[in-house]
Amino acid sequence: TGFVLDLWRKGKRVAPFGSYLPKSTEQVITRNLDDDPVEVKLTVSGARIIHEDDLGRLEAGVLMDAHVGHRSLDFWKGWGGDRYALLETPDGKKSLVWVTVWDTAPGRTAFIDALSSALAGFPESARLTPLTLDGRPAAELRVGVPQGVAVSAKASIGK
């Protein structure tokens, strides 16, 4: 509601907002249309992608609240983009990979520090690793991913 009211107050009353249509939940939350999301593309070998999508800042925050608690709200200011993939190996084992991209290295560090304390609460073994994607700080969460499954990610601005 606040996002729409801001557009109206600024005199940009175009429905359905034309170029003012947000590209991410982050733009709605922060009301900053200049902060384009980072698009993340995943490539997987050794498993089949059952489903993939991005969570966006809002849903990623919900996931973090569920595992870390409401203290997770402070570091989401640095979120840049994400992508997850639900995987299935030829023997039927299912797992998850989630890659997040951050505006700053301290934002990524805060995310890793917060989520690392909750990894034992995932239903399968979980590992969180810092990455750099196309010069941007990033992190990869793997939950139940067996040996032999390779995942690579690329990042680019805009959707």
Side-chain angles (χ1 to χ4, degrees):
T1 304
F3 178 81
V4 173
L5 288 173
D6 276 356
L7 286 179
W8 278 63
R9 282 187 199 116
K10 294 175 184 173
K12 299 170 181 168
R13 299 178 181 172
V14 180
F17 307 117
S19 63
Y20 299 105
L21 186 66
K23 297 175 187 162
S24 72
T25 55
E26 179 183 40
Q27 290 178 331
V28 174
I29 292 167
T30 64
R31 300 182 188 156
N32 179 2
L33 289 173
D34 294 326
D35 189 3
D36 283 336
V38 176
E39 183 177 352
V40 179
K41 294 194 184 275
L42 301 176
T43 304
V44 176
S45 63
R48 174 176 73 91
I49 296 176
I50 298 170
H51 180 78
E52 72 175 305
D53 203 346
D54 60 79
L55 287 179
R57 182 175 166 192
L58 180 64
E59 289 176 318
V62 170
L63 181 139
M64 289 298 291
D65 285 351
H67 289 281
V68 178
H70 291 292
R71 64 188 165 95
S72 68
L73 296 174
D74 292 339
F75 64 83
W76 280 102
K77 294 175 186 164
W79 179 90
D82 72 85
R83 191 79 176 167
Y84 71 87
L86 301 174
L87 309 176
E88 183 177 41
T89 59
D91 64 358
K93 180 167 177 53
K94 292 181 177 57
S95 57
L96 169 80
V97 173
W98 182 38
V99 175
T100 56
V101 179
W102 298 88
D103 294 334
T104 65
R108 173 190 59 195
T109 299
F111 166 74
I112 288 173
D113 289 349
L115 190 55
S116 290
S117 66
L119 292 180
F122 284 94
E124 298 282 337
S125 65
R127 185 177 79 210
L128 187 57
T129 308
L131 306 171
T132 301
L133 293 181
D134 300 318
R136 294 178 179 88
E140 179 187 76
L141 173 66
R142 290 177 173 230
V143 180
V145 178
Q147 293 287 348
V149 174
V151 178
S152 63
K154 290 191 64 79
S156 61
I157 292 287
K159 280 191 170 185

